[in-house]
PDB file of all heavy atoms in Angstrom:
ATOM      1  N   VAL A 460      63.589  68.062 224.357  1.00  0.00           N
ATOM      2  CA  VAL A 460      63.266  69.298 223.618  1.00  0.00           C
ATOM      3  C   VAL A 460      64.507  70.198 223.582  1.00  0.00           C
ATOM      4  O   VAL A 460      65.441  69.986 224.348  1.00  0.00           O
ATOM      5  CB  VAL A 460      62.082  70.073 224.279  1.00  0.00           C
ATOM      6  CG1 VAL A 460      60.803  69.277 224.180  1.00  0.00           C
ATOM      7  CG2 VAL A 460      62.386  70.406 225.736  1.00  0.00           C
ATOM      8  N   HIS A 461      64.505  71.188 222.711  1.00  0.00           N
ATOM      9  CA  HIS A 461      65.646  72.105 222.606  1.00  0.00           C
ATOM     10  C   HIS A 461      65.856  72.860 223.936  1.00  0.00           C
ATOM     11  O   HIS A 461      64.906  73.332 224.548  1.00  0.00           O
ATOM     12  CB  HIS A 461      65.371  73.084 221.477  1.00  0.00           C
ATOM     13  CG  HIS A 461      66.400  74.157 221.339  1.00  0.00           C
ATOM     14  ND1 HIS A 461      67.752  73.866 221.352  1.00  0.00           N
ATOM     15  CD2 HIS A 461      66.299  75.487 221.216  1.00  0.00           C
ATOM     16  CE1 HIS A 461      68.423  75.004 221.248  1.00  0.00           C
ATOM     17  NE2 HIS A 461      67.582  75.981 221.155  1.00  0.00           N
ATOM     18  N   TYR A 462      67.083  72.917 224.373  1.00  0.00           N
ATOM     19  CA  TYR A 462      67.394  73.586 225.646  1.00  0.00           C
ATOM     20  C   TYR A 462      67.624  75.081 225.429  1.00  0.00           C
ATOM     21  O   TYR A 462      68.487  75.480 224.686  1.00  0.00           O
ATOM     22  CB  TYR A 462      68.644  72.968 226.279  1.00  0.00           C
ATOM     23  CG  TYR A 462      69.143  73.722 227.469  1.00  0.00           C
ATOM     24  CD1 TYR A 462      68.499  73.625 228.700  1.00  0.00           C
ATOM     25  CD2 TYR A 462      70.238  74.580 227.379  1.00  0.00           C
ATOM     26  CE1 TYR A 462      68.936  74.337 229.812  1.00  0.00           C
ATOM     27  CE2 TYR A 462      70.678  75.281 228.489  1.00  0.00           C
ATOM     28  CZ  TYR A 462      70.024  75.162 229.683  1.00  0.00           C
ATOM     29  OH  TYR A 462      70.436  75.888 230.763  1.00  0.00           O
ATOM     30  N   GLU A 463      66.791  75.865 226.115  1.00  0.00           N
ATOM     31  CA  GLU A 463      66.991  77.324 226.026  1.00  0.00           C
ATOM     32  C   GLU A 463      67.005  77.909 227.441  1.00  0.00           C
ATOM     33  O   GLU A 463      66.456  78.974 227.674  1.00  0.00           O
ATOM     34  CB  GLU A 463      65.841  77.969 225.247  1.00  0.00           C
ATOM     35  CG  GLU A 463      65.835  77.632 223.791  1.00  0.00           C
ATOM     36  CD  GLU A 463      64.589  78.147 223.079  1.00  0.00           C
ATOM     37  OE1 GLU A 463      63.479  77.660 223.399  1.00  0.00           O
ATOM     38  OE2 GLU A 463      64.714  79.024 222.247  1.00  0.00           O
ATOM     39  N   GLY A 464      67.570  77.161 228.371  1.00  0.00           N
ATOM     40  CA  GLY A 464      67.504  77.592 229.766  1.00  0.00           C
ATOM     41  C   GLY A 464      66.201  77.073 230.364  1.00  0.00           C
ATOM     42  O   GLY A 464      65.305  76.646 229.619  1.00  0.00           O
ATOM     43  N   VAL A 465      66.068  77.141 231.687  1.00  0.00           N
ATOM     44  CA  VAL A 465      64.821  76.597 232.273  1.00  0.00           C
ATOM     45  C   VAL A 465      63.985  77.675 232.917  1.00  0.00           C
ATOM     46  O   VAL A 465      62.935  77.391 233.464  1.00  0.00           O
ATOM     47  CB  VAL A 465      65.113  75.471 233.310  1.00  0.00           C
ATOM     48  CG1 VAL A 465      65.515  74.199 232.585  1.00  0.00           C
ATOM     49  CG2 VAL A 465      66.161  75.874 234.318  1.00  0.00           C
ATOM     50  N   ALA A 466      64.416  78.935 232.822  1.00  0.00           N
ATOM     51  CA  ALA A 466      63.655  80.033 233.459  1.00  0.00           C
ATOM     52  C   ALA A 466      62.217  80.081 232.932  1.00  0.00           C
ATOM     53  O   ALA A 466      61.279  80.242 233.718  1.00  0.00           O
ATOM     54  CB  ALA A 466      64.366  81.341 233.216  1.00  0.00           C
ATOM     55  N   LYS A 467      62.067  79.876 231.622  1.00  0.00           N
ATOM     56  CA  LYS A 467      60.740  79.917 230.993  1.00  0.00           C
ATOM     57  C   LYS A 467      59.855  78.797 231.535  1.00  0.00           C
ATOM     58  O   LYS A 467      58.680  78.963 231.824  1.00  0.00           O
ATOM     59  CB  LYS A 467      60.897  79.740 229.480  1.00  0.00           C
ATOM     60  CG  LYS A 467      60.068  80.740 228.688  1.00  0.00           C
ATOM     61  CD  LYS A 467      60.552  80.887 227.250  1.00  0.00           C
ATOM     62  CE  LYS A 467      60.306  79.656 226.415  1.00  0.00           C
ATOM     63  NZ  LYS A 467      60.869  79.751 225.068  1.00  0.00           N
ATOM     64  N   LYS A 468      60.477  77.621 231.705  1.00  0.00           N
ATOM     65  CA  LYS A 468      59.742  76.437 232.154  1.00  0.00           C
ATOM     66  C   LYS A 468      59.236  76.654 233.588  1.00  0.00           C
ATOM     67  O   LYS A 468      58.105  76.296 233.928  1.00  0.00           O
ATOM     68  CB  LYS A 468      60.667  75.221 232.085  1.00  0.00           C
ATOM     69  CG  LYS A 468      60.020  73.919 232.465  1.00  0.00           C
ATOM     70  CD  LYS A 468      59.085  73.437 231.352  1.00  0.00           C
ATOM     71  CE  LYS A 468      58.193  72.316 231.869  1.00  0.00           C
ATOM     72  NZ  LYS A 468      57.130  71.992 230.951  1.00  0.00           N
TER      73      LYS A 468
END
Side-chain angles (χ1 to χ4, degrees):
V460 293
H461 175 47
Y462 172 76
E463 291 173 294
V465 286
K467 226 161 69 185
K468 183 74 194 169

